[in-house]
Structure formats: structure tokens, C-alpha cells
């Protein structure tokens, strides 16, 4: 099986100066995931590596530079899911954490619980030897500016779906959540079936956009059910985004990957940086489904 990875950097309206760094960032993320896959690594390792690359890049709303609560706190959500075992790990509302996707992975591997939140998640991170950061290391000028502008429509997330050479699928997503959110607010990112879903026999999906609407629509589970009904990844992505719009009046984006390596993406926001890497075609990318700004 030829490995494939699809990633996105959030569905929202980019500022002009964010076009190039956002497309570069998703390409780097897809390359980080493909580096794992091309050495025979697992889909789960690949999506974790791809999301970590975006968490470390302050252009994205995840990890370093994640959006802030209305009282200036950094509280992040993340999840990861294995398409073979259908086990997942998720963390919610974790203060000052650079790589919540790896904390979610540790929750999945540990297996006692599936979703950990707040200070308890931080205590678990210490037990597992995962580093906690000081708030000042993670809060960027960009995040403070966003809070000042109160761009509350910005509820973007980063995400990755991968297929490895053994035919296993995985998905991981990570976010700072909505800018100017109430402290304690948890979005769709750590909620199975809403922000993420994967089943090796059906496909994988990762969502971005208004978390409250994505939870109401149970977006990713329903998107994968469209695949089960026989839709292509592209049609399932378009149908699920339109369904959310009809049912909630909100905007979002989604990436999808089938068990045969077919990819699909759709968004009804002005932009959603994305990249796809596969052994056959190298890396393709754009800042929306229509437009690329890189040569
Ligand atoms: N989709 C990110 C959030 O609403 O938290």
C-alpha cells in the first residue's frame, strides 16, 4: 500500500501576510508526516509528527501561539485516534502546553481513560515525563493581537489523516479553540465523532471550524458514514460541510482519507491551508481548495 497523508491548518479567513507562511507550514507538516511513513512508520506516528510540526509553528492556532481565552489564558485541546483498534486519546482545556497531541497520544497508549482535562491532564503529563511550558514561552504577539481584535470567528484547528504502508489509518487534531473563548470552554477537537473519527474499514476525517456547531452536527462521524454509503472522499467532505451549514448556519472545513488512499477536502470559509503528500505525487498544497501561493 502506498502511504498518503493529508493535513490542514484551519478553516477561516487568512490575512494577506499569512498566505505564504500558512502554505509553507502545511507543506512542512505533510513532509514531517511523510518522513515517518516513508520509513515504514505507522499512521499514528505520522499524524502525531505532522500535528506536532504545526503546534510548533506560531502561524497556526495550536500549541505555540494558540488562541487565548478572554482573560488571556492559553487552554488547548487535542486528540488522536487509531483506525485499527478504534482507540483514541484526547485532552481538553490543558493550560500552557506546547504539544497537546502527544499528551493525547499518551492518554490513548495508557488506556485507563480516553479524555483527560485541565489540571488532571497536566498531572498525567508530568507522570509521563511530558514537558509543561511557561505561559510566556507559548503566548505570541500574534495571539495577543488576535485577542485584541477579538476575532472570535477564528475557531481554527490543525489536523492530519494518514494511511500507512500496512493499510492502517490514523487521525490527529489540535487547537487553541476560539479566540476570546470563556475559560473552561471545550470545543469539538477532543470529542470523538465531532472533531475527528477514523475506522480502517471506512475512512478518516478531521474537522476545523466552529466547535459548537461541529459537535451538534457530529460532523466527522457523519462524514465517514457518507463514505460507507459509497460517496467519494471529495463528495463526502462537501456533503458534510453543506450539512453543517444547513443544520447550524455555521462554517467549517474537513479533510478526509479513504482506506484506499483517496483524499478529499472541503471548506466553506474563505481559506483552509492544506497539503497532501504521497509516494507517487510528492507534495501538493494550497491556501484554499482553489488557490496556491507557492511556486
Ligand atoms: N474547532 C475548534 C474549536 O472550536 O475549538
Amino acid at each position: 500500500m502506498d502511504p498518503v497523508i493529508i493535513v490542514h491548518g484551519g478553516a477561516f479567513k487568512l490575512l494577506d501576510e499569512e498566505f505564504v507562511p500558512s502554505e509553507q507550514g502545511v507543506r512542512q507538516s505533510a513532509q514531517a508526516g511523510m518522513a515517518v511513513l516513508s520509513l515504514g512508520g505507522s499512521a499514528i506516528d505520522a499524524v502525531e509528527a505532522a500535528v506536532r510540526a504545526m503546534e510548533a509553528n506560531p502561524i497556526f492556532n495550536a500549541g505555540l501561539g494558540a488562541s487565548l481565552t478572554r482573560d488571556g489564558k492559553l487552554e488547548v485541546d487535542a486528540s488522536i485516534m487509531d483506525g485499527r483498534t478504534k482507540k483514541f486519546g484526547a485532552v481538553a482545556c490543558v493550560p500552557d502546553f506546547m504539544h497537546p497531541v502527544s499528551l493525547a497520544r499518551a492518554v490513548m497508549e495508557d488506556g485507563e481513560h480516553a479524555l483527560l482535562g485541565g489540571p488532571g491532564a497536566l498531572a498525567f503529563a508530568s507522570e509521563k515525563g511530558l514537558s509543561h511550558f511557561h505561559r510566556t514561552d507559548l503566548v505570541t504577539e500574534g495571539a495577543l493581537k488576535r485577542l485584541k481584535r477579538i476575532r472570535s470567528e477564528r475557531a481554527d484547528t490543525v489536523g492530519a489523516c494518514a494511511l500507512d504502508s500496512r493499510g492502517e489509518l490514523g487521525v490527529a487534531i489540535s487547537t487553541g479553540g476560539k479566540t476570546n473563548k470563556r475559560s473552561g470552554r471545550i470545543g469539538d477537537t477532543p470529542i470523538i465523532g465531532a472533531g475527528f473519527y477514523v475506522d480502517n474499514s471506512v475512512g478518516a476525517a478531521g474537522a476545523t471550524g466552529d466547535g459548537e456547531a461541529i459537535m451538534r452536527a457530529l460532523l466527522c462521524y457523519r462524514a465517514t458514514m457518507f463514505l460507507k454509503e459509497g460517496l467519494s472522499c471529495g463528495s463526502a467532505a462537501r456533503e458534510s460541510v453543506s450539512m453543517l451549514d444547513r443544520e447550524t448556519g455555521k462554517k467549517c472545513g474537513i479533510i478526509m482519507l479513504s482506506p484506499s488512499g483517496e483524499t478529499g477536502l472541503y471548506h466553506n470559509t474563505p481559506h483552509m491551508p492544506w497539503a497532501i503528500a504521497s509516494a507517487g505525487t510528492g507534495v501538493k498544497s494550497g491556501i484554499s481548495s482553489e488557490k496556491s501561493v507557492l511556486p
Side-chain angles (χ1 to χ4, degrees):
M1 178 79 64
D2 279 341
V4 184
I5 184 160
I6 177 167
V7 309
H8 75 78
F12 60 108
K13 181 167 174 26
L14 291 169
L15 302 173
D16 289 358
E17 64 268 24
E18 293 172 328
F19 286 4
V20 169
S22 297
E23 191 169 343
Q24 281 169 338
V26 285
R27 284 184 79 87
Q28 283 159 2
S29 161
Q31 281 158 343
M34 187 41 83
V36 172
L37 293 170
S38 56
L39 292 174
S42 69
I44 279 291
D45 283 342
V47 291
E48 183 183 0
V51 168
R52 281 180 68 95
M54 290 188 279
E55 287 176 336
N57 185 337
I59 196 73
F60 300 116
N61 175 14
L64 176 65
S67 288
L68 302 173
T69 64
R70 64 188 61 166
D71 45 358
K73 292 187 193 144
L74 188 134
E75 295 178 351
V76 294
D77 303 336
S79 57
I80 192 163
M81 183 170 179
D82 181 326
R84 183 176 61 81
T85 59
K86 289 202 257 171
K87 286 187 179 163
F88 77 98
V91 291
C93 220
V94 187
D96 303 338
F97 213 81
M98 171 87 152
H99 289 302
V101 72
S102 294
L103 186 51
R105 171 94 187 251
V107 171
M108 181 178 80
E109 305 285 354
D110 181 76
E112 184 182 2
H113 301 300
L115 170 58
L116 283 181
L122 273 188
F124 176 80
S126 304
E127 258 176 51
K128 297 289 173 186
L130 294 171
S131 16
H132 176 226
F133 282 72
H134 289 293
R135 178 182 179 279
T136 45
D137 295 329
L138 297 177
V139 174
T140 58
E141 278 304 310
L144 289 168
K145 266 194 213 151
R146 284 204 299 278
L147 185 59
K148 224 170 177 176
R149 276 190 246 122
I150 311 195
R151 291 176 61 194
S152 53
E153 78 280 12
R154 186 162 178 169
D156 43 315
T157 304
V158 303
C161 301
L163 174 72
D164 65 30
S165 54
R166 289 171 292 281
E168 316 278 10
L169 288 164
V171 60
I173 61 174
S174 180
T175 190
K178 281 182 171 170
T179 295
N180 198 41
K181 66 186 178 181
R182 192 182 281 276
S183 177
R185 180 263 186 190
I186 296 166
D188 59 298
T189 297
I191 307 299
I192 186 169
F196 66 98
Y197 193 71
V198 59
D199 176 340
N200 267 1
S201 65
V202 183
T208 165
D210 186 281
E212 284 71 13
I214 293 170
M215 287 189 276
R216 276 169 61 198
L218 204 60
L219 186 71
C220 286
Y221 181 72
R222 288 169 76 192
T224 58
M225 289 304 106
F226 287 133
L227 295 182
K228 204 168 186 175
E229 287 166 18
L231 267 64
S232 66
C233 277
S235 302
R238 190 172 54 248
E239 187 47 42
S240 52
V241 169
S242 307
M243 179 189 75
L244 181 135
D245 196 358
R246 274 196 311 277
E247 292 181 0
T248 69
K250 299 286 184 181
K251 306 293 175 207
C252 70
I254 194 165
I255 53 171
M256 299 192 71
L257 182 57
S258 80
S260 66
E262 179 206 18
T263 55
L265 64 98
Y266 195 76
H267 56 100
N268 56 4
T269 50
H271 304 107
M272 183 176 80
W274 61 274
I276 298 170
S278 64
T281 54
V283 187
K284 293 185 283 187
S285 61
I287 54 162
S288 70
S289 48
E290 311 291 325
K291 183 173 172 179
S292 167
V293 290
L294 295 183

